[in-house]
Amino acid sequence: ETGVTQSPTHLIKTRGQQVTLRCSSQSGHNTVSWYQQALGQGPQFIFQYYREEENGRGNFPPRFSGLQFPNYSSELNVNALELDDSALYLCASSHSGGAGELFFGEGSRLTVL
Amino acid sequence: QQQVKQSPQSLIVQKGGISIINCAYENTAFDYFPWYQQFPGKGPALLIAIRPDVSEKKEGRFTISFNKSAKQFSLHIMDSQPGDSATYFCAAANSGGYQKVTFGTGTKLQVIP
């Protein structure tokens, strides 16, 4: 069974740039969620994708957007990067009926300068 | 709005001792309460979870105690080991909606020999 994989693991961007983060979900999982984890904080829900559509969103502005592909992999896009976007971005996959049973990848560490 | 409050922020326990982490929630729609364990450089991993129809759940050395009327739940780690040193997050979710999981702020546990 293949776990959740994310890429890249680390990246550095400057303010105003755009970034794309990628995630391959665990085999058998059809739902992907993205979370932002600031240093020393718990993960914060960004949004969730099911059947290639966003079906839930946290308190994040529209410059945070995503995609889910037919193979259930996903992308997180962030436009007009701000310094406060510096964080660990976590992808989690799950079954559609799996309540809060999330399987996380190791994350992408984004630094915005 | 922080819907899941977690304490303490950090905890030092001697090997063989009991580690106790407490959480409180506000939203009565939550009906699934998982705990996640996160090691440095890794994503959170599901440790144990409980639903509010039971007051206690035990898996090995890990026990969740749940008090529905007080809207509080706690994690007990018996016979704590140095390998348990990690950050622990309590969380809550509403299994009837999309799978947004609300996390606490985390407890950094250090088990000293």
Side-chain angles (χ1 to χ4, degrees):
Chain A
E1 186 175 80
T2 306
V4 178
T5 58
Q6 292 187 241
S7 64
T9 54
H10 295 83
L11 68 166
I12 300 173
K13 293 285 187 178
T14 57
R15 195 170 47 182
Q17 284 189 312
Q18 178 266 342
V19 68
T20 297
L21 308 178
R22 295 177 175 82
C23 171
S24 293
S25 61
Q26 184 166 314
S27 59
H29 288 176
N30 56 14
T31 302
V32 174
S33 304
W34 286 90
Y35 287 77
Q36 180 195 66
Q37 186 176 24
L39 202 61
Q41 298 296 316
Q44 297 289 317
F45 177 75
I46 302 175
F47 45 53
Q48 178 184 96
Y49 278 82
Y50 172 63
R51 291 185 174 178
E52 302 176 49
E53 291 190 0
E54 182 183 302
N55 71 339
R57 190 177 186 93
N59 189 26
F60 282 82
R63 59 189 185 84
F64 285 77
S65 63
L67 288 171
Q68 186 184 31
F69 300 100
N71 65 354
Y72 306 127
S73 65
S74 178
E75 286 183 356
L76 165 66
N77 298 288
V78 187
N79 294 321
L81 285 167
E82 301 177 359
L83 297 179
D84 285 349
D85 295 333
S86 295
L88 180 68
Y89 288 86
L90 294 163
C91 171
S93 72
S94 56
H95 295 290
S96 58
E101 297 172 336
L102 303 176
F103 294 82
F104 284 93
E106 295 192 349
S108 294
R109 172 72 64 186
L110 171 65
T111 301
V112 182
L113 302 176
Chain B
Q1 179 188 10
Q2 182 186 357
Q3 295 190 39
V4 179
K5 295 183 179 179
Q6 183 172 350
S7 64
Q9 186 175 358
S10 62
L11 182 61
I12 299 175
V13 174
Q14 283 209 310
K15 179 182 176 182
I18 302 173
S19 303
I20 302 174
I21 304 170
N22 300 300
C23 286
Y25 64 97
E26 301 168 2
N27 187 346
T28 55
F30 290 144
D31 62 357
Y32 181 76
F33 300 88
W35 285 86
Y36 284 83
Q37 179 189 55
Q38 186 175 29
F39 292 104
K42 302 292 185 181
L46 181 64
L47 187 63
I48 186 173
I50 196 169
R51 294 191 182 274
D53 53 345
V54 297
S55 60
E56 186 174 282
K57 182 173 182 179
K58 183 177 181 179
E59 290 184 0
R61 297 184 293 109
F62 300 91
T63 300
I64 301 177
S65 297
F66 189 86
N67 185 330
K68 186 175 181 179
S69 61
K71 293 189 284 186
Q72 295 176 346
F73 58 111
S74 60
L75 176 69
H76 291 62
I77 306 174
M78 311 301 287
D79 187 27
S80 299
Q81 299 296 312
D84 297 331
S85 297
T87 300
Y88 292 81
F89 294 96
C90 62
N94 177 359
S95 60
Y98 58 87
Q99 296 170 19
K100 173 184 176 181
V101 178
T102 300
F103 287 82
T105 51
T107 296
K108 187 173 184 179
L109 171 65
Q110 183 181 359
V111 181
I112 55 177

